[in-house]
């Protein structure tokens, strides 16, 4: 003898009601939370109508730069990892008339820096200037460079990516922080973004670990996918937007041996970067990765790739000269 369960059975109906109630509560709560997050706009993305809270109190530049990068008070940005962090926006402002924000994020490379540059360009109608401090990672032949640390690309992407990722515990922390900011219980971080880490560093020069395995001829002859992508990006910018690419200095002991495959590759990389901005008005490539009395002096560096403030002031002077130059001047400069 067999039996069957009818859809009209009270237990079945009760179970269905419980499941329906669960999903209604789950998605209802999710909708309420998402609505609250969008209203508070915890990262100050400006994507959707919000409560209009100004700025953020966020010490992580990976997320705080979303607010800085769209701030209408700035028309220009410095994009870099820690090798460009000591460049002072206000000093560039005073000499050029532009209004810079510092978007340096330590331990980042081309992928993350592209996200920042695109964000700036998409959120500013006025032509300004982009300063890209391009370290050796831009010379990489690897088109899918591994990230050194996680990066929230969804914050800098389209609205769909944002909505798919915004509900997380870190976001809820920032919701609280931003409400506290609105209530006057927190203070907005400096939107200029400049941080002088030299005050927290030791004065003694600290060498880095030994260099990797020497390059082969095949390595030296490989392409530059990130610079190719940069060329397409720069070509799509407004014609009157200035672009200055800086290859930062390193202590002489970190330079490749003259005549080596690594030396040849860096020469080709520098040529590719020069070509990227060739012919753009008030733009240029500044090559500081060379052997000079300044780069031989360990007193000018914290380690082999992080320079001190006097060197930063010299780089700023050269950037200012490029931004002020006639378009007919050469686009390549060296010390």
């Amino acid at each position: 003898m067999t039996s069957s369960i009818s859809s009209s059975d009270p237990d079945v109906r009760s179970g269905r009601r419980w499941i329906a109630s669960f999903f209604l509560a789950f998605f209802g709560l999710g909708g309420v939370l998402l609505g609250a997050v969008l209203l508070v706009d915890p990262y100050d993305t400006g994507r959707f109508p919000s409560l209009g809270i100004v700025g953020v109190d966020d010490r992580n530049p990976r997320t705080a730069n979303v607010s800085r990068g769209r701030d209408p008070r700035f028309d220009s940005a410095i994009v870099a990892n820690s090798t460009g962090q000591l460049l002072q926006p206000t000093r560039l402002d005073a000499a050029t008339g532009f209004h810079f924000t510092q978007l340096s994020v330590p331990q980042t490379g081309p992928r993350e820096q592209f996200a920042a540059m695109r964000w700036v360009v998409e959120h500013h109608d006025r032509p300004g200037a982009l300063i890209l401090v391009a370290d050796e990672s831009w010379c990489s032949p690897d088109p899918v460079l591994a990230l050194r640390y996680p990066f929230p690309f969804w914050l800098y992407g389209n609205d769909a990516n944002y909505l798919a990722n915004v509900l997380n515990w870190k976001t809820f922390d920032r919701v609280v922080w931003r409400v506290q900011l609105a209530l006057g219980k927190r203070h907005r971080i400096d939107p200029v973004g400049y941080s002088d880490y030299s005050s927290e560093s030791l004065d003694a020069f600290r060498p880095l670990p030994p260099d990797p395995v020497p390059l082969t001829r095949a390595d030296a002859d490989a392409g530059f996918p990130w610079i190719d992508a940069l060329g397409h990006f720069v070509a799509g910018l407004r014609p009157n937007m200035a672009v200055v690419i800086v290859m930062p200095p390193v202590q002489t002991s970190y330079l490749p041996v003259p005549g080596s495959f690594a030396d040849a590759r860096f020469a080709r990389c520098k040529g590719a970067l020069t070509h990227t901005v060739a012919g753009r008005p008030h733009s240029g490539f500044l090559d500081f990765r060379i052997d000079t009395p300044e780069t031989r002096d360990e007193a000018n560096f914290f380690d082999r790739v992080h320079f001190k403030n006097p060197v930063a002031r010299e780089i700023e002077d050269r950037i200012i000269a490029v931004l002020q130059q006639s378009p007919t001047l050469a686009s390549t400069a060296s010390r």
Side-chain angles (χ1 to χ4, degrees):
M1 181 176 179
T2 60
S3 62
S4 61
I5 300 176
S6 170
S7 60
S8 61
D9 188 292
D11 290 337
V12 173
R13 292 197 301 272
S14 176
R16 288 177 175 175
R17 284 196 298 270
W18 184 90
I19 293 173
S21 299
F22 171 81
F23 279 102
L24 181 63
F26 179 82
F27 287 108
L29 177 60
V32 170
L33 289 175
L34 180 60
V37 166
L38 296 183
L39 282 174
V40 174
D41 194 8
Y43 299 98
D44 192 19
T45 66
R47 294 176 183 275
F48 305 103
S50 67
L51 298 178
I53 304 170
V54 178
V56 293
D57 182 13
D58 188 348
R59 307 298 161 175
N60 184 347
R62 283 169 166 75
T63 48
N65 284 354
V66 171
S67 177
R68 293 187 177 112
R70 78 174 194 91
D71 193 319
R73 289 175 296 178
F74 305 110
D75 56 18
S76 305
I78 302 166
V79 177
N81 57 25
S82 58
T83 60
Q85 195 170 340
L86 290 183
L87 299 182
Q88 285 187 358
T90 53
R91 191 164 182 266
L92 298 176
D93 293 353
T96 65
F98 291 120
H99 302 283
F100 281 91
T101 182
Q102 173 59 273
L103 301 183
S104 293
V105 180
Q107 298 291 334
T108 56
R111 288 173 62 186
E112 302 96 313
Q113 291 159 27
F114 259 129
M117 288 189 292
R118 291 189 181 106
W119 182 261
V120 170
V121 170
E122 290 169 359
H123 288 82
H124 290 85
D125 295 328
R126 295 177 297 166
L130 274 177
I131 311 299
L132 172 63
V133 182
D135 73 352
E136 62 192 69
S137 62
W138 282 87
C139 301
S140 173
D142 184 357
V144 286
L145 277 174
L147 300 181
R148 297 175 184 174
Y149 289 93
F151 189 83
F153 290 102
W154 56 272
L155 269 179
Y156 299 82
N158 58 40
D159 291 349
N161 285 336
Y162 177 80
L163 290 172
N165 290 275
V166 71
L167 291 183
N168 60 69
W169 292 115
K170 291 182 179 179
T171 291
F172 296 140
D173 286 341
R174 284 166 174 80
V175 166
V176 174
W177 297 351
R178 203 146 193 250
V179 171
Q180 291 174 332
L181 180 67
L183 296 175
K185 295 183 178 181
R186 279 180 175 266
H187 298 288
R188 181 185 185 184
I189 58 168
D190 179 10
V192 173
Y194 175 70
S195 175
D196 185 359
Y197 64 78
S198 65
S199 61
E200 304 171 3
S201 302
L202 300 176
D203 289 333
F205 179 75
R206 300 186 300 279
L208 292 174
D211 293 336
V213 177
L215 299 185
T216 65
R217 180 179 295 278
D219 296 327
D221 294 339
F224 303 104
W226 294 104
I227 299 178
D228 293 342
L230 180 63
H232 289 297
F233 173 76
V234 170
L237 298 177
R238 295 182 295 275
N240 52 350
M241 187 169 200
V243 180
V244 181
I245 302 174
V246 178
M247 182 165 279
V250 295
Q251 207 276 326
T252 299
S253 63
Y254 197 54
L255 292 172
V257 176
S260 66
F261 290 130
D263 188 44
R265 178 162 183 81
F266 269 113
R268 291 181 55 236
C269 180
K270 293 174 182 180
L273 289 170
T274 300
H275 179 73
T276 297
V277 290
R280 276 191 90 83
H282 307 290
S283 301
F285 170 64
L286 292 169
D287 179 19
F288 290 90
R289 195 183 178 102
I290 52 179
D291 184 6
T292 68
E294 291 82 4
T295 59
R296 294 184 201 124
D297 188 353
E298 292 181 352
N300 286 326
F301 293 85
F302 296 109
D303 55 37
R304 290 195 294 176
V305 300
H306 292 94
F307 51 83
K308 294 185 178 180
N309 274 309
V311 179
R313 302 295 84 78
E314 183 178 350
I315 294 173
E316 291 162 6
D317 288 341
R318 298 296 299 278
I319 292 172
I320 290 168
V322 171
L323 293 175
Q324 294 177 339
Q325 74 181 353
S326 164
T328 60
L329 292 181
S331 62
T332 304
S334 61
R335 294 199 289 180

